[in-house]
Amino acid sequence: MNDFPQSDWAWELTRPWMLWMLLLLLPIAWFFWKSLTDFPKWQKRFSLLVRSLIVLLLALALAGLTLLKPSQKQYVVLGIDRSLSIDKEAAAVVDTYLHQVSEAATSSGNAAHTVAFMNVAARPTAITTDRETLVALPEEELNATNLASAIETAQAAIPPGYVPQIVLLTDGRQTDGDMLQVAASAKVPISFVPLPVRTEPEVQVAEVKAPAEVRQGEPFFVEVTLASNHADKGFIDVYRGDILVSQQQEPLSIEAGETVF
């Protein structure tokens, strides 16, 4: 883990528009000037000072005045893709990388740095700093990959006071969510460790698009996107529940990459 240069302490206002409350100092000053009380001058000035201080502190509190403390402590969340698209070769790369990370964290001798882990597929598991307690995903959730949800979960789990970092070990084959949109809006640096993809012939349904609502008896289109790592031929059957409503009679040509029908 790299050490970041020490920076200066700083102040930050999370809600600066609340500083409008400082305008309340004007009527306080006006009443002090026009006051007809017969208090001694020192007492009136002390009263003005106390009232002004109360308004100032209240305005700063509502504006969210925060003292930013410099920190070199890192909190790294490793998201490990465990979906079915990860074969034994990719799993071996994951194990090697995790072993190297664990050794680096131990050899650095800096207990301030923290490495956390989570498994990712259709959903991410709970984040833990102990690999031995990392929860395995159920088999029914291994058929999908939602990297967007993994980024959101990791970002929410990083505690304040640390230098954040998210690292995803994945082959990049997402089936749910919009990873690019979530990553672009994230306030945490995100890195990727690309895993080798499967080499055996594979064809999968990448996306199915259909209208959200149609009139009874009205014809409509269903758009099917197939993803393949080789050229092939196949059939597309469409079911409504358990009822077969459309069946291809002739084989369709499937190109390497994505093919839309």
Side-chain angles (χ1 to χ4, degrees):
M1 296 183 180
N2 299 325
D3 288 331
F4 292 87
Q6 189 78 9
S7 58
D8 296 330
W9 294 64
W11 296 94
E12 180 183 62
L13 295 175
T14 57
R15 297 177 297 275
W17 59 88
M18 293 303 298
L19 291 178
W20 69 266
M21 291 192 60
L22 294 177
L23 295 176
L24 296 177
L25 294 175
L26 296 177
I28 292 177
W30 187 84
F31 281 113
F32 167 77
W33 181 260
K34 297 294 184 180
S35 176
L36 299 177
T37 58
D38 55 354
F39 291 145
K41 214 176 247 190
W42 70 267
Q43 189 173 358
K44 291 198 295 184
R45 290 176 179 174
F46 182 75
S47 175
L48 173 64
L49 177 63
V50 172
R51 292 174 181 176
S52 301
L53 185 60
I54 292 175
V55 172
L56 176 62
L57 294 177
L58 182 60
L60 292 177
L62 293 177
L65 182 63
T66 306
L67 176 61
L68 301 179
K69 176 183 178 182
S71 175
Q72 296 182 0
K73 300 182 297 182
Q74 297 185 66
Y75 197 103
V76 182
V77 179
L78 297 178
I80 309 159
D81 191 346
R82 297 296 188 183
S83 61
L84 293 181
S85 62
I86 304 300
D87 59 7
K88 292 182 179 179
E89 181 183 356
V93 174
V94 170
D95 293 338
T96 302
Y97 186 86
L98 295 182
H99 179 70
Q100 292 174 347
V101 168
S102 299
E103 280 192 343
T106 304
S107 61
S108 66
N110 194 339
H113 298 319
T114 303
V115 180
F117 308 88
M118 69 175 177
N119 286 327
V120 178
R123 64 174 180 86
T125 62
I127 294 178
T128 176
T129 55
D130 184 4
R131 283 181 58 192
E132 301 299 326
T133 62
L134 190 58
V135 179
L137 288 162
E139 291 188 8
E140 60 270 17
E141 295 188 8
L142 302 181
N143 293 320
T145 304
N146 193 332
L147 299 178
S149 178
I151 294 175
E152 293 173 339
T153 302
Q155 181 176 235
I158 298 176
Y162 286 87
V163 179
Q165 176 75 35
I166 298 175
V167 180
L168 295 180
L169 290 80
T170 178
D171 59 0
R173 294 183 174 181
Q174 63 173 349
T175 59
D176 294 325
D178 191 339
M179 178 190 63
L180 293 179
Q181 181 179 0
V182 173
S185 60
K187 298 181 180 180
V188 176
I190 302 172
S191 303
F192 292 88
V193 177
L195 301 179
V197 297
R198 289 179 176 270
T199 56
E200 65 268 22
E202 181 181 24
V203 179
Q204 62 181 353
V205 178
E207 187 176 26
V208 177
K209 292 182 180 180
E213 181 178 344
V214 294
R215 297 179 183 273
Q216 184 174 359
E218 178 185 2
F220 60 93
F221 288 97
V222 175
E223 184 179 287
V224 180
T225 302
L226 300 183
S228 176
N229 60 1
H230 68 290
D232 208 331
K233 290 188 176 182
F235 299 87
I236 298 179
D237 296 338
V238 181
Y239 287 82
R240 183 178 64 239
D242 296 331
I243 303 174
L244 178 64
V245 296
S246 176
Q247 186 177 26
Q248 296 291 143
Q249 302 300 326
E250 299 294 333
L252 300 172
S253 296
I254 303 172
E255 303 295 333
E258 289 191 350
T259 309
V260 180
F261 297 96

